[in-house]
Amino acid sequence: MHEHNGVVTLVGAGPGDPDLLTVGALRALQRADVVVHDHLVCPDILALAPQATLIDVGKLPFGERTEQETINSILVREGSLGRNVVRLKGGDPFLFGRGTEEIQALHQAGVPFRVIPGVSSLNGVLGAAGVAVTARGRNRGFAVFSGAGSGDADFAQWAQAPGPAVIYMGVHKAAAIARAFMAAGRAADTPVVVVARGGGANEVIAETTLAGLPALLADAAAWTPAIIAIGVEREHAFRARPLDGKIAWAAGDWLNSEAADYARALGARPVRLEEGAQHPLARAVNAGVKASRT
Ligand SMILES: C[S@@+](CC[C@H](N)C(=O)[O-])C[C@H]1O[C@@H](n2cnc3c(N)ncnc32)[C@H](O)[C@@H]1O
């Protein structure tokens, strides 16, 4: 046991792709005694802390999701035991991440804490898919809101905001969101981009319109987690790349090569073969069908 107090570091893990981890996050992981993580964090990132005890609070036997109070008390307990604790959270801890509740609990218990912000789905997932939420001469702002916990009146309000809208946790509310935006005067053919499971082997990027959104996301469970951007398209320069939408199945070590980076620059998405082999897209490729994003 350590003689000094422990420290709890809330670390944003980014949206899944280890390339989007910060150097600060990497350092914190390498020094951690304990990593308390949720189910959005990918195994490649957890592998960066091989010395740490992992506590998966997405899978504790307290029901489908661990109660926030239970997570808070785990953090307080581990920190009070003098351990160097990393609380690893998907994306950024303060963007729909309940980070405020965790630091409040640590503050109340007198456990020292710090926060290392992370790349959020907003820029990490949408940006990697070629969606620029601002562009000079096009728009100087955008709205961001959560579909979870919001109702028709909230959507009607968000629809009034100028510029594009980015929606977290909106898959299950897609029909209500589309309705509210069209009722507010946004055209039925307003472009919409949906990125599901961004950064992972099973990422899907879909381009549709406001009118088409409810049908696209009708099978909501198949699209979770996803981020939705209304009123903005994937940049033409992205779509025009010769391998846009193609998946390059590769052996794991090839993914870190210059050749893989070149494939990425041409628009392809290299994916570790063993990781995605069971995915419907992989099966389609194996069956000789040309792969493209939906
Ligand atoms: C509880 S919020 C957490 C957000 C996280 N703190 C962040 O900064 O991205 C979960 C929502 O984030 C979005 N999200 C998280 N990871 C994602 C991913 N890999 N691809 C697409 N959307 C993602 C989805 O909208 C999902 O419903």
Side-chain angles (χ1 to χ4, degrees):
M1 167 122 36
H2 298 213
E3 283 169 12
H4 55 82
N5 269 337
V7 169
V8 176
T9 308
L10 269 63
V11 175
D17 181 348
D19 274 2
L20 298 182
L21 211 58
T22 65
V23 175
L26 176 62
R27 286 192 183 128
L29 283 169
Q30 288 169 339
R31 286 197 288 261
D33 299 318
V34 180
V35 175
V36 180
H37 65 95
D38 55 37
H39 64 280
L40 284 179
V41 175
C42 92
D44 284 351
I45 292 177
L46 295 176
L48 298 171
Q51 77 295 347
T53 303
L54 301 182
I55 301 179
D56 180 351
V57 290
K59 282 192 195 149
L60 281 177
F62 297 99
E64 230 173 67
R65 288 175 56 175
T66 310
E67 291 296 332
Q68 188 61 49
E69 293 73 41
T70 308
I71 297 174
N72 295 352
S73 61
I74 291 171
L75 297 179
V76 168
R77 182 192 72 207
E78 295 295 320
S80 303
L81 286 169
R83 294 182 179 136
N84 191 351
V85 182
V86 163
R87 168 64 176 122
L88 194 59
K89 302 172 74 67
D92 180 85
F94 287 162
L95 267 163
F96 306 117
R98 305 192 73 167
T100 52
E101 294 158 67
E102 296 178 4
I103 58 165
Q104 180 60 18
L106 292 163
H107 164 69
Q108 273 170 354
V111 176
F113 65 87
R114 64 191 191 109
V115 174
I116 299 179
V119 175
S120 187
S121 323
L122 168 62
N123 53 350
V125 170
L126 288 176
V131 177
V133 287
T134 70
R136 187 176 166 87
R138 194 167 68 200
N139 66 305
R140 288 194 294 269
F142 58 95
V144 185
F145 63 94
S146 163
S150 304
D152 291 352
D154 305 295
F155 300 144
Q157 249 183 345
W158 288 118
Q160 304 292 339
V166 174
I167 303 139
Y168 288 71
M169 295 173 277
V171 171
H172 290 85
K173 302 277 178 70
I177 293 168
R179 209 171 37 240
F181 273 65
M182 289 190 282
R186 306 258 190 145
D189 64 357
T190 299
V192 177
V193 180
V194 181
V195 186
R197 301 174 293 275
N202 296 335
E203 176 183 87
V204 177
I205 300 174
E207 300 174 74
T208 183
T209 59
L210 263 185
L213 185 64
L216 177 74
L217 301 186
D219 181 5
W223 286 87
T224 308
I227 190 138
I228 302 170
I230 295 176
V232 62
E233 293 182 272
R234 295 182 64 233
E235 290 297 306
H236 170 74
F238 262 70
R239 289 167 152 175
R241 294 187 297 181
L243 297 183
D244 183 56
K246 304 292 187 292
I247 293 175
W249 301 105
D253 48 359
W254 189 79
L255 296 179
N256 288 326
S257 66
E258 264 185 53
D261 282 346
Y262 191 65
R264 290 183 181 100
L266 296 181
R269 191 159 61 87
V271 169
R272 191 182 294 153
L273 187 54
E274 54 275 25
E275 203 177 353
Q278 293 312 311
H279 188 263
L281 276 176
R283 288 202 292 271
V285 174
N286 292 337
V289 178
K290 189 173 155 206
S292 80
R293 293 175 193 168
T294 316

